[in-house]
Amino acid sequence: MEVTFLGTSSAVPSKNRNHTSIALRIPGEVFLFDCGEGTQRQMAIAGISPMKVTRMFITHLHGDHILGIPGMIQSMGFRGREEPLEIYGPPGIHELHESIMKLGYFTLDFDIHVHEVKGGTVLEEEDYRITSAPASHSVFNLAYCFEEKKRPRFLREKAIELGLKPGPAFGKLHRGIPVRVGDRIIKPEEVLGSPRRGVKICYSGDTRPCESVIDLAREADLLIHESTFEAGSEDKAAESGHSTAREAAEVAASACVRKLILTHLSTRYKRTEVILNAAREVFPETDVADDLMTVEVKADDSGSGS
């Protein structure tokens, strides 16, 4: 499972940092978390096709997080997309969609399904779950959490000992479906190992440090948290509804996550050492995101945080 940082700047893009967007690549799908201006060009550089984006998750409706959506949608239409696109976002997301559809002249041959989110479970599929929680910003902002549902290991030799032959029955048992062998019913728990923990990734959006994000990110493998300001600028951060590097690190420590990556950096910081060093004093497993940086995320099978 891979996370690619398509944009890591805050309100104003710079030569080295684009507006905010994060791509999460899972088997068969690409999710976008926020879609700032220029996101589709960043995707081209990163080698990620917009046509593979199945879902967008928008944290809030400030321009640096949404202005890439109109161009993305129109480019999808120009390239002949037919598969539907799902967009999730806070109250106001329907009005945003309506405005986008009136912007310029274009035609689409695919459906766009828009979902208003206020918190809780966003969607649940067989292999993953996405939840959200309101964070603390100057406008309503959602933090999102992706959790992989990982099946227990299938104990092949045990299944054979019970009289099963390799084939469709193995798959059924692994999916939790009992199967019959002669006069006997074999239950999944007889041929499955211990429960396994799947990947958990949390993205804060724009926020002050808050308990809701700590709770959402609890024992995550990766927390992606905004760090608009350096340590020592707490007053500025509080006034604008943002976090400092140290505050983001404190959130990571409180949530017992395994890894913290800071993003949404102000253009005032040409060098990131000041951001990174302050955060690592509190939470050593911290990195600062750069545009086009890709991180592979694996689960901690022990089931414990850092």
Side-chain angles (χ1 to χ4, degrees), residues 42-68:
Q42 296 291 90
M43 293 181 73
I45 297 171
I48 303 173
S49 173
M51 300 296 276
K52 293 185 178 180
V53 174
T54 56
R55 307 178 192 273
M56 290 186 190
F57 300 90
I58 305 302
T59 59
H60 65 293
L61 302 184
H62 277 153
D64 56 321
H65 293 254
I66 62 171
L67 290 179

Side-chain angles (χ1 to χ4, degrees), residues 2-6 23-25 30 32 39-40 42-53 79 294:
E2 292 184 339
V3 172
T4 298
F5 292 85
L6 300 169
L24 172 61
R25 286 185 275 190
V30 175
L32 280 187
T39 291
Q40 60 178 319
Q42 296 291 90
M43 293 181 73
I45 297 171
I48 303 173
S49 173
M51 300 296 276
K52 293 185 178 180
V53 174
R79 296 172 67 175
T294 294

Side-chain angles (χ1 to χ4, degrees), residues 1-2 24-27 31 123-131 145-152 195-202 219-221 258 297-301:
M1 206 163 294
E2 292 184 339
L24 172 61
R25 286 185 275 190
I26 68 172
F31 298 158
L123 74 151
E124 189 152 359
E125 300 288 353
E126 183 178 355
D127 296 324
Y128 60 83
R129 175 191 304 109
I130 294 181
T131 53
C145 182
F146 170 91
E147 293 180 87
E148 177 190 26
K149 297 178 182 178
K150 201 165 188 177
R151 297 189 183 102
R196 291 194 294 168
R197 183 181 181 279
V199 168
K200 181 175 179 178
I201 300 169
C202 184
E219 295 190 345
D221 298 289
R258 292 177 62 209
V297 187
K298 296 182 179 180
D300 176 10
D301 284 339

Side-chain angles (χ1 to χ4, degrees), residues 114-223:
V114 180
H115 310 269
E116 183 179 293
V117 177
K118 294 181 179 178
T121 300
V122 177
L123 74 151
E124 189 152 359
E125 300 288 353
E126 183 178 355
D127 296 324
Y128 60 83
R129 175 191 304 109
I130 294 181
T131 53
S132 67
S136 177
H137 190 39
S138 57
V139 299
F140 186 81
N141 176 91
L142 290 161
Y144 289 100
C145 182
F146 170 91
E147 293 180 87
E148 177 190 26
K149 297 178 182 178
K150 201 165 188 177
R151 297 189 183 102
R153 288 186 175 86
F154 183 74
L155 306 178
R156 188 175 188 275
E157 297 303 320
K158 178 66 173 177
I160 292 173
E161 289 176 8
L162 293 174
L164 285 167
K165 295 181 179 180
F170 279 21
K172 287 183 178 180
L173 285 164
H174 202 188
R175 295 194 302 274
I177 303 170
V179 299
R180 179 182 292 275
V181 177
D183 295 331
R184 182 183 175 191
I185 299 293
I186 297 180
K187 298 179 180 180
E189 54 264 31
E190 296 180 74
V191 294
L192 297 180
S194 301
R196 291 194 294 168
R197 183 181 181 279
V199 168
K200 181 175 179 178
I201 300 169
C202 184
Y203 169 48
S204 72
D206 287 6
T207 186
R208 294 287 299 141
C210 59
E211 289 297 324
S212 58
V213 173
I214 292 172
D215 290 341
L216 190 70
R218 188 78 61 190
E219 295 190 345
D221 298 289
L222 174 62
L223 169 61

